[in-house]
């Protein structure tokens, strides 16, 4: 934080030093009007900085949400594959393993998803997955097909665990707070710059200024509203997991 403050002070100091040096050297002309070169240059740069900060503050969460959505699809596919692979286990284990998978997905949809909007997962989801993995690991069989099914099932559970870890990272991901602060500050600067430059809008000239301020306010709020991948207008929904539950019902009815 200190480095940022020093950078700002250095930039402000550079402006002051340049203004003093050029005045002492007698170079240039006075620029006091709101439509002068100084105000125009500052306005263009402030607008560009706002657009840059706004674009990053929206694109980064958008990209994160898109990746999180693909990851939920990968996790749901791994769960369905594990459900299929359970059919090769000893008959006494098929029902309990499939029940455990179904309960895990139900837990994710009903209990864990609301917590993900706040940036975290429920630790019990990982406990459920570890218990299921331990149950499969302890299973011993002399049948070659059952051993292959066990190995395949453990592989699918590993994929589920990896996708779950990525889901936790996606839920916690957020743009740097400094980026959102920069968006707010540059947005305010864009709105106030005509007044700071000395202009005094009157009458109908206030209409476009008010419209611009309203749109900028909406844009700034949007950068806060899309912060989390599982919350806000870009929120990833648990559709992939509800589809997996329907697939479980189909497999159970057909196998």
């Amino acid at each position: 934080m200190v480095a940022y403050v020093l950078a700002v002070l250095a930039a402000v100091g550079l402006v002051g030093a340049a203004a003093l040096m050029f005045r002492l050297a007698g170079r240039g002309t006075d620029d006091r009007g709101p439509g002068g070169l100084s105000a125009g240059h500052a306005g263009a740069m402030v607008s560009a900085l706002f657009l840059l900060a706004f674009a990053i503050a929206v694109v980064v969460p958008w990209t994160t949400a898109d990746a999180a959505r693909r990851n939920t699809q990968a996790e749901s596919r791994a769960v369905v594959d594990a459900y299929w692979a359970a059919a090769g286990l000893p008959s006494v284990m098929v029902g309990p393993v499939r029940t455990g998978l179904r309960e895990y997905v139900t837990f994710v949809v009903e209990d864990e998803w609301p917590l993900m909007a706040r940036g975290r997962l429920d630790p019990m989801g990982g406990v459920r997955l570890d218990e299921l993995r331990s149950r499969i690991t302890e299973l011993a069989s002399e049948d070659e097909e059952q051993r292959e099914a066990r190995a395949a099932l453990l592989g699918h559970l590993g994929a589920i665990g990896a996708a779950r870890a990525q889901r936790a990272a996606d839920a916690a991901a957020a743009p740097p707070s400094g980026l959102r602060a920069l968006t707010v500050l540059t947005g305010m600067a864009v709105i106030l710059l005509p007044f700071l430059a000395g202009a005094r809008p009157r009458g109908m000239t206030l209409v476009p200024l008010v419209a611009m301020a309203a749109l900028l306010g909406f844009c700034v709020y949007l950068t806060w509203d899309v912060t989390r991948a599982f919350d806000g207008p870009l929120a990833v929904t648990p559709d992939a997991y509800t589809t997996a539950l329907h697939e479980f019902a189909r497999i159970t009815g057909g196998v």
Side-chain angles (χ1 to χ4, degrees):
M1 185 62 184
V2 175
Y4 290 108
V5 174
L6 291 177
V8 171
L9 293 177
V12 173
L14 178 62
V15 173
L20 179 61
M21 289 176 59
F22 275 82
R23 178 175 294 276
L24 294 176
R27 301 294 300 274
T29 59
D30 288 342
D31 186 12
R32 299 178 182 275
L37 180 61
S38 298
H41 176 67
M45 290 306 300
V46 169
S47 298
L49 285 173
F50 170 76
L51 291 175
L52 176 63
F54 172 71
I56 296 175
V58 170
V59 170
V60 170
W62 188 297
T63 304
T64 301
D66 188 53
R69 189 173 292 105
R70 291 196 300 269
N71 184 65
T72 60
Q73 294 288 342
E75 185 176 5
S76 67
R77 285 196 301 270
V79 174
V80 172
D81 290 341
Y83 200 87
W84 273 109
L89 297 177
S91 56
V92 295
M93 290 294 297
V94 175
V97 170
R98 285 185 165 178
T99 298
L101 291 169
R102 187 164 51 248
E103 289 177 348
Y104 171 75
V105 175
T106 302
F107 175 82
V108 170
V109 173
E110 296 181 357
D111 300 314
E112 196 165 54
W113 213 265
L115 294 177
M116 289 162 55
R118 298 196 289 271
R120 63 187 182 88
L121 271 61
D122 191 323
M124 283 305 301
V127 172
R128 287 172 178 266
L129 199 58
D130 290 341
E131 290 176 349
L132 190 59
R133 185 184 288 110
S134 297
R135 183 182 302 179
I136 302 303
T137 302
E138 295 169 358
L139 178 64
S141 176
E142 299 297 329
D143 187 275
E144 181 64 25
E145 292 184 358
Q146 291 180 354
R147 287 200 298 270
E148 291 178 357
R150 172 179 171 273
L153 185 55
L154 288 174
H156 295 316
L157 290 176
I160 297 170
R164 177 180 176 81
Q166 182 58 53
R167 181 156 52 88
D170 293 335
S177 57
L179 178 62
R180 285 174 289 171
L182 179 62
T183 306
V184 173
L185 292 175
T186 53
M188 293 174 60
V190 169
I191 295 172
L192 297 177
L193 189 64
F195 300 95
L196 297 176
R200 297 294 180 266
R202 294 290 187 272
M204 292 302 295
T205 57
L206 284 171
V207 174
L209 189 61
V210 170
M212 179 194 67
L215 292 174
L216 283 177
F218 173 81
C219 291
V220 170
Y221 174 75
L222 180 63
T223 62
W224 291 83
D225 202 24
V226 299
T227 298
R228 298 291 184 186
F230 297 94
D231 189 30
L234 299 179
V236 180
T237 61
D239 293 346
Y241 301 90
T242 55
T243 300
L245 290 174
H246 294 316
E247 189 71 7
F248 292 164
R250 187 189 67 80
I251 295 172
T252 303
V255 176

